[in-house]
Amino acid sequence: MPRTSRRAVLAATLALGLAAGTAACSSDSDKSSASGPVEIEYWAWGDAQPVVDKFNATHPDIKVKFVKQAELTTTATGLRNAVAAGSGVPCLVQNFGDVPALLAEGLLAEVTDYVKPAESKFVPAALPGAQVQGKYYGIPTGSGPTFMMVNRAVYDKYGVPVPKTWDDVITAGKALKPHGVQVMNLAGEDPSTLVNLIIQAGGSWYSVQKDAWKVDFLSPESVAAANILQQLVDNNLVANQTYQDRPALIAYFDQGKMASLPTSTWQLTNYELNFKKSVGNWEPVDLPQYAGAAKFATPAHGGALLVPKGCAHLKEASEVGIWMNTTKDAVDATFDKATGSYAWPGAMPDPSPWVDSAVPQKLFGSRRPEAKAVILKASRSGVDNWLVGPNYTGVFKELQDQWAQAVTKKITFRQLLENMQKFTVDDLKAKGINVAS
């Protein structure tokens, strides 16, 4: 097993969940559980103050101090600096990456002893996103339900059936193309469609074999996803509208030139507020499935509320985080008067009390009542088999570059997978991390 640097040793050991140091953190927390109120500092760039106020009003032994951050990037930089300095480390931080990669950086503390007894409070699909090798390094936050909204007026105008499978999406795209309508959008900077298709198929690019990472970008699930995307691109059935020019993107969606949008609850209000021509024309439908799939599935790769290394109160931080993500009081405190909606309770087994508020009044017109069943079915069918390795931050940047080339036909999606396989293996080895053959 090659070793090239102390950092590489640390990354490999931590990433496999074998570090003795993380266990020591739990002991440190026990010692620090002093009597009386304990202050937990919480960093987030979202407006978490109402949730913090509700917690503080109902928990006399723990006080949460919310420190609002500017945005994701400055939060990440601030945490890295605090952990490196060993001072000023918060105990809870809004997620800005995947847990295995952040753990490999040495940024996270193990909280298994405090989260595992509370597992039954979470929907099972929410748990893997906070774990490495079955140990917790954050509080599960889950994910939003994934479904599709289609411009039903466009489908009806041209007599095209609404797709139920990904093969149907390709067929619909070919039927809409002569009318100047593209069936979906694949933004050149965002490879999430590829990742979501692989998760939906039950695949993952990383796995662990004994003390080594196994990398498989050419798994059957990855190849199946690549084949679907290749047909969409080869036949010129998709748009490449960037997400970076939001007004232009929304205007394009609104024109009736693009007919299908994989989406989630958090995006709906924005569409309703900004669609001028097509509001009321859209219909919520189930996410298309792979033809012949054994069961209905939606991608549900969740995240974690981070518990940083150096937090002096791991037990109390875990209690706060679990409350934030599993209680009615916490979800109710997220109510936004401007939109009349709540933050989606992605970690909770039963999100039904908040479904109706997640659906705007006008976007789906007379089909609004259909949204509740579609969203709850997507939530119940979420799967998360996705595991990322300790080098995923760099791998994702490379994936973005490869994706941009694939959607513009400079390389095939098969070549994307082959290139990512080589890049990822070479990068792990360069960091001195074991790679299974």
Side-chain angles (χ1 to χ4, degrees):
M1 176 178 171
R3 289 285 188 267
T4 57
S5 70
R6 181 178 180 277
R7 181 178 179 184
V9 174
L10 180 66
T13 307
L14 286 174
L16 291 173
L18 302 176
T22 53
C25 289
S26 295
S27 299
D28 291 345
S29 175
D30 293 340
K31 293 175 184 177
S32 63
S33 299
S35 59
V38 171
E39 183 172 284
I40 298 297
E41 191 164 299
Y42 171 32
W43 290 6
W45 56 90
D47 183 15
Q49 192 61 59
V51 177
V52 168
D53 290 343
K54 184 66 176 179
F55 181 89
N56 287 339
T58 53
H59 294 76
D61 295 334
I62 304 174
K63 294 300 178 187
V64 180
K65 178 184 178 184
F66 174 49
V67 181
K68 187 172 177 58
Q69 306 295 298
E71 33 75 34
L72 182 152
T73 303
T74 56
T75 305
T77 300
L79 181 63
R80 289 185 172 106
N81 290 340
V83 171
S87 64
V89 179
C91 276
L92 292 171
V93 177
Q94 186 172 350
N95 196 353
F96 55 83
D98 284 284
V99 164
L102 299 177
L103 179 63
E105 285 192 58
L107 294 178
L108 304 182
E110 185 191 340
V111 289
T112 307
D113 289 347
Y114 313 117
V115 177
K116 198 167 186 61
E119 282 182 336
S120 63
K121 296 181 179 180
F122 297 88
V123 64
L127 301 179
Q131 296 176 339
V132 174
Q133 289 285 83
K135 296 181 179 180
Y136 289 95
Y137 297 91
I139 313 301
T141 57
S143 63
T146 304
F147 52 99
M148 182 174 270
M149 50 185 269
V150 297
N151 191 326
R152 186 57 186 259
V154 172
Y155 274 92
D156 288 348
K157 180 178 181 180
Y158 300 115
V160 178
V162 172
K164 296 183 178 180
T165 69
W166 289 110
D167 288 341
D168 291 345
V169 173
I170 297 167
T171 300
K174 291 178 179 177
L176 292 168
K177 181 181 173 182
H179 304 290
V181 177
Q182 290 162 309
V183 71
M184 281 179 56
N185 181 57
L186 299 178
E189 70 276 13
D190 181 12
S192 62
T193 301
L194 172 61
V195 171
N196 284 334
L197 278 168
I198 295 169
I199 295 173
Q200 186 183 21
S204 181
W205 285 331
Y206 293 86
S207 61
V208 175
Q209 286 190 352
K210 297 181 179 179
D211 65 343
W213 286 96
K214 182 175 177 58
V215 179
D216 190 2
F217 278 78
L218 293 164
S219 67
E221 296 85 0
S222 297
V223 172
N227 286 340
I228 289 168
L229 294 168
Q230 195 66 60
Q231 292 180 70
L232 290 170
V233 170
D234 283 350
N235 288 284
N236 299 315
L237 308 181
V238 292
N240 298 133
Q241 292 287 321
T242 178
Y243 294 156
Q244 295 173 2
D245 185 348
R246 195 72 182 174
L249 178 75
I250 292 294
Y252 179 77
F253 289 169
D254 196 26
Q255 289 172 0
K257 298 294 185 182
M258 195 284 305
S260 320
L261 266 173
T263 190
S264 189
T265 49
W266 68 272
Q267 296 171 304
L268 300 182
T269 299
N270 185 48
Y271 291 140
E272 173 158 302
L273 289 173
N274 292 285
F275 284 172
K276 306 301 181 187
K277 299 178 179 177
S278 65
V279 68
N281 291 343
W282 296 84
E283 178 181 12
V285 299
D286 292 336
L287 188 73
Q289 302 289 297
Y290 283 93
K295 66 176 183 178
F296 186 89
T298 61
H301 182 55
L305 181 59
L306 306 177
V307 182
K309 183 180 180 181
C311 163
H313 306 292
L314 298 181
K315 178 181 177 181
E316 290 81 3
S318 299
E319 180 179 341
V320 175
I322 292 169
W323 180 90
M324 285 181 173
N325 287 283
T326 65
T327 70
K328 183 177 183 301
D329 276 356
V331 178
D332 286 348
T334 68
F335 183 71
D336 184 337
K337 292 181 180 178
T339 63
S341 62
Y342 301 85
W344 182 257
M348 296 180 70
D350 180 15
S352 59
W354 299 280
V355 170
D356 191 64
S357 73
V359 184
Q361 295 296 319
K362 301 178 181 176
L363 180 63
F364 299 126
S366 63
R367 298 184 179 87
R368 184 179 185 275
E370 301 169 18
K372 181 175 180 179
V374 169
I375 292 170
L376 289 178
K377 181 179 180 180
S379 183
R380 289 194 302 269
S381 307
V383 296
D384 186 8
N385 39 275
W386 189 247
L387 175 66
V388 304
N391 63 339
Y392 193 64
T393 300
V395 166
F396 187 77
K397 291 179 181 177
E398 180 65 18
L399 176 62
Q400 286 180 298
D401 291 340
Q402 293 286 316
W403 170 262
Q405 296 184 58
V407 298
T408 53
K409 299 184 181 181
K410 294 176 181 173
I411 62 173
T412 66
F413 285 91
R414 173 80 186 194
Q415 288 173 319
L416 175 155
L417 295 175
E418 292 171 348
N419 293 343
M420 290 307 304
Q421 175 74 22
K422 184 177 186 308
F423 177 91
T424 305
V425 169
D426 289 349
D427 186 59
L428 285 170
K429 290 181 177 178
K431 290 179 167 61
I433 298 173
N434 270 357
V435 180
S437 58

